[in-house]
Amino acid sequence: MALPVILGLVLAVLVLLPIVLMFLGAVRTGTFVDPRAHFSLRSVIAVYATMPYLKTLIVTIGASLAVSFLACFIGIALAWLISRTDIPAKAWMENAVIAPLYLSPFVGALAWLILGSPNAGLINVLAREVFGVTGYAINVMTATGVILVMALYNIPYAYMTVSAALKGMDPSMEEASYLNGAGVFSTALKVTLPVVRPSIISAFFFVFVLTCGTFSIPAALGGTQAMPFLAIDIYRATATYPVDYARAAAIGTLLFWISLIGVAFYRFASQVATRFVTVTARGFRTRFLKLRSWRLPAIGFILTYVTLAIILPYLALFYVAFTRFTSSNILTASYTLDNFRSVIASVAVRQSIGNTLLVGVISPTFCVLLGIVLAYSIRRLRIRGAGILDYIAMFPIAVPGIVFGTGIFWTYLMTPVYGTVWILVIAFVATYIPYAYRMIDTSIIQIDRSLEEASALCGASHYRTASQITFRLIRPSVLSAWILVFIFSIREISAAIILSSPSNRVLSVMSWDYLEFGNVQNAAIIGILQTVILMAGILVSRFLLRVKLSQSG
């Protein structure tokens, strides 16, 4: 049958070929079309065996572990409060907690740069002028600041993983613990957390992999001066003179191995989680713990996180974007629309808006179409090699965006798509196919095959059964997958910055360019434009398409 071969070739070209060519590029002295280039281990030896890169490797791993610990610690606390207590407005609280997932971490980092830079940060200016503080109150341009900001925007991943496990857990074991005299904290530590431990470990290593490949936050908050990071080294190798593509590829291979180890632990923890089956055939109703006097502190804890991750950063962005000069007294600041008009009038900005919308629509569309074909072929047609296709489709989870961008660069450097928006589409489809595929695959698994068998017995063709029954039933998951990939495509910067050119620049890269040249005001305006596009997608998904974003993550 030709279908397995076609799907295998598509996934091989999208996913495997860029990684293979990146490894080959790491052992060359130049690009594949350079007649003077030859094979050499110079770059690999420099990256794998010299102290500067080994130090950066240690810092990257250490910082990623610290971010994972903080994100999981706070994410677990938030998940327990919302899933196990009588905290009010649960739906609103959950949407507020996962809201940072749908906004750009780079924009959040830019906002915290505006708030907490040691000299001109708004918080420090106010502290000096109003409270007479000498020096600075906070400084996000340090290793500690970078770690805290990265943890802030990775908490939703930990929350969703642990929250899903808590919601699916039979609470009878917790009730038995209470009946035997155990208190709330004793039950949580000795019963609840051990049962959901595999999910916690999965969340930890998932955040670890994401953090290892993070470029935007450490780069925005001071780059290698604040904290050396392998992802920043990849960008510097391709963006600063002398350009060294082989060194960028070699660093990419090193980062790839780290991420692969993290994903191995993640997959192991996910498989172990299936042994902790606590959902029984009988129905159950969770008994929510009464917070009583702890209700206000619990609400304050959640609101503090939302304020730090969303409210305060975006207030800072709007303040900087719409004021003539940064002032210590916000109430007497002079506000204007001239800054915004000037940025919008720029031809380059308008082109980047068009590129962003184009990539944001085409990438999720291709992702979803490929995800539907893959999931249906594997689960319903049961084609040969289904297990291999499933593994390859999920493989990009192990590859950070900036590493994939490096591989895509080596693959398409001398092709017509290089320098166009289409190379971004290819990169985003390859990067985000696991999310679309897994959501659609899970939806198809949940459909009872008897429905399709009944259609076939009534004389319907295979195509009619699929279109009228299967695809109609998975429509909510398809829409959720499209919206999720749309959001990720709009906010993506790691792969986009490696593949950017004057003709395919998107808003995330445009904002970075302004920040690189020290124009924080224009970078903030671009960040707001990007946020408007993201919010428009979220509103359309919620109110027109009836997509529940809390389930789509």
Side-chain angles (χ1 to χ4, degrees):
M1 191 174 180
L3 185 58
V5 176
I6 295 173
L7 288 176
L9 287 174
V10 170
L11 288 178
V13 172
L14 273 177
V15 176
L16 299 181
L17 184 60
I19 301 302
V20 172
L21 291 182
M22 181 184 68
F23 273 86
L24 289 176
V27 294
R28 286 182 62 86
T29 58
T31 61
F32 295 122
V33 295
D34 186 350
R36 298 170 299 176
H38 57 275
F39 285 97
S40 170
L41 295 176
R42 174 181 58 84
S43 297
V44 173
I45 293 173
V47 169
Y48 281 73
T50 59
M51 283 307 298
Y53 288 105
L54 291 178
K55 178 183 177 182
T56 303
L57 170 64
I58 293 172
V59 171
T60 300
I61 294 175
S64 299
L65 290 173
V67 169
S68 301
F69 175 79
L70 287 173
C72 287
F73 181 81
I74 298 174
I76 291 167
L78 292 170
W80 186 82
L81 282 174
I82 295 176
S83 302
R84 283 293 185 267
T85 70
D86 65 343
I87 197 165
K90 287 180 180 290
W92 186 91
M93 292 288 186
E94 181 168 56
N95 286 325
V97 167
I98 66 172
L101 177 67
Y102 306 108
L103 299 173
S104 170
F106 172 69
V107 175
L110 173 63
W112 273 105
L113 181 65
I114 295 171
L115 287 166
S117 60
N119 296 322
L122 294 179
I123 293 176
N124 291 318
V125 171
L126 286 171
R128 285 193 291 266
E129 296 293 331
V130 178
F131 301 104
V133 175
T134 57
Y136 51 81
I138 64 170
N139 183 7
V140 296
M141 299 179 69
T142 62
T144 302
V146 172
I147 289 173
L148 290 176
V149 173
M150 283 197 291
L152 197 64
Y153 291 100
N154 278 291
I155 287 172
Y157 295 106
Y159 167 82
M160 289 189 298
T161 304
V162 178
S163 176
L166 286 174
K167 290 176 181 178
M169 175 184 169
D170 189 339
S172 61
M173 291 182 289
E174 295 168 310
E175 293 174 0
S177 176
Y178 294 136
L179 289 174
N180 282 283
V184 173
F185 291 104
S186 179
T187 299
L189 292 175
K190 296 181 179 180
V191 178
T192 309
L193 292 183
V195 171
V196 299
R197 184 187 296 130
S199 296
I200 294 173
I201 297 174
S202 295
F204 182 91
F205 283 107
F206 185 70
V207 173
F208 173 81
V209 171
L210 289 178
T211 306
C212 279
T214 296
F215 162 80
S216 58
I217 294 178
L221 298 180
T224 54
Q225 294 179 354
M227 175 181 290
F229 237 67
L230 287 175
I232 300 178
D233 285 344
I234 293 176
Y235 169 72
R236 297 299 181 196
T238 60
T240 58
Y241 184 83
V243 175
D244 193 338
Y245 296 121
R247 181 158 54 94
I251 301 170
T253 63
L254 180 60
L255 193 54
F256 171 81
W257 293 124
I258 300 170
S259 300
L260 197 63
I261 294 171
V263 168
F265 281 108
Y266 165 72
R267 291 178 68 90
F268 174 76
S270 299
Q271 291 170 359
V272 171
T274 60
R275 304 176 191 173
F276 291 76
V277 178
T278 60
V279 180
T280 61
R282 64 182 178 84
F284 60 80
R285 183 178 180 180
T286 303
R287 187 188 75 171
F288 296 114
L289 295 173
K290 295 181 179 180
L291 291 172
R292 296 187 174 88
S293 60
W294 288 95
R295 175 171 292 191
L296 287 179
I299 294 174
F301 175 62
I302 296 175
L303 292 181
T304 298
Y305 167 67
V306 175
T307 300
L308 293 175
I310 297 294
I311 298 175
L312 196 58
Y314 279 91
L315 286 177
L317 286 176
F318 277 95
Y319 172 73
V320 169
F322 293 101
T323 53
R324 295 185 186 277
F325 306 101
T326 301
S327 170
S328 61
N329 193 334
I330 296 176
L331 296 178
T332 61
S334 176
Y335 293 92
T336 179
L337 292 175
D338 291 343
N339 306 328
F340 207 91
R341 293 194 189 102
S342 176
V343 171
I344 292 295
S346 169
V347 175
V349 171
R350 291 184 179 181
Q351 184 181 17
S352 69
I353 293 174
N355 289 337
T356 301
L357 292 172
L358 186 64
V359 172
V361 170
I362 296 177
S363 298
T365 301
F366 280 138
C367 259
V368 165
L369 290 175
L370 184 55
I372 291 173
V373 174
L374 274 171
Y376 189 79
S377 300
I378 292 172
R379 299 300 175 185
R380 288 298 187 259
L381 300 181
R382 298 186 181 278
I383 60 177
R384 296 179 63 181
I388 297 175
L389 292 176
D390 177 82
Y391 187 83
I392 297 176
M394 294 302 298
F395 186 73
I397 291 249
V399 186
I402 199 160
V403 174
F404 233 126
T406 305
I408 294 289
F409 169 85
W410 279 95
T411 305
Y412 297 95
L413 177 60
M414 296 305 296
T415 66
V417 300
Y418 184 77
T420 69
V421 294
W422 294 107
I423 196 170
L424 297 182
V425 170
I426 292 171
F428 293 172
V429 171
T431 302
Y432 298 124
I433 184 61
Y435 301 95
Y437 163 67
R438 186 55 73 201
M439 290 178 67
I440 296 169
D441 179 64
T442 302
S443 181
I444 289 180
I445 291 175
Q446 293 173 342
I447 298 175
D448 192 339
R449 292 181 66 92
S450 63
L451 297 174
E452 297 161 314
E453 292 169 355
S455 174
L457 288 173
C458 291
S461 64
H462 194 83
Y463 172 78
R464 184 174 178 82
T465 298
S467 61
Q468 296 298 318
I469 295 180
T470 310
F471 295 155
R472 284 180 178 269
L473 291 175
I474 67 172
R475 182 175 176 271
S477 292
V478 170
L479 292 175
S480 296
W482 194 96
I483 290 297
L484 188 65
V485 178
F486 165 81
I487 292 169
F488 286 165
S489 298
I490 295 295
R491 70 178 218 178
E492 171 62 35
I493 186 174
S494 296
I497 203 165
I498 293 292
L499 303 170
S500 73
S501 69
S503 61
N504 72 356
R505 193 167 282 119
V506 290
L507 283 175
S508 57
V509 177
M510 182 68 70
S511 183
W512 166 257
D513 288 343
Y514 276 126
L515 183 61
E516 277 274 84
F517 286 103
N519 194 335
V520 177
Q521 193 169 57
N522 283 7
I525 294 172
I526 297 296
I528 292 172
L529 289 175
Q530 186 182 6
T531 302
V532 168
I533 294 175
L534 283 167
M535 293 304 297
I538 294 173
L539 292 176
V540 168
S541 68
R542 293 205 61 175
F543 298 107
L544 295 184
L545 303 179
R546 305 297 180 186
V547 176
K548 295 181 179 180
L549 295 178
S550 60
Q551 294 177 0
S552 68

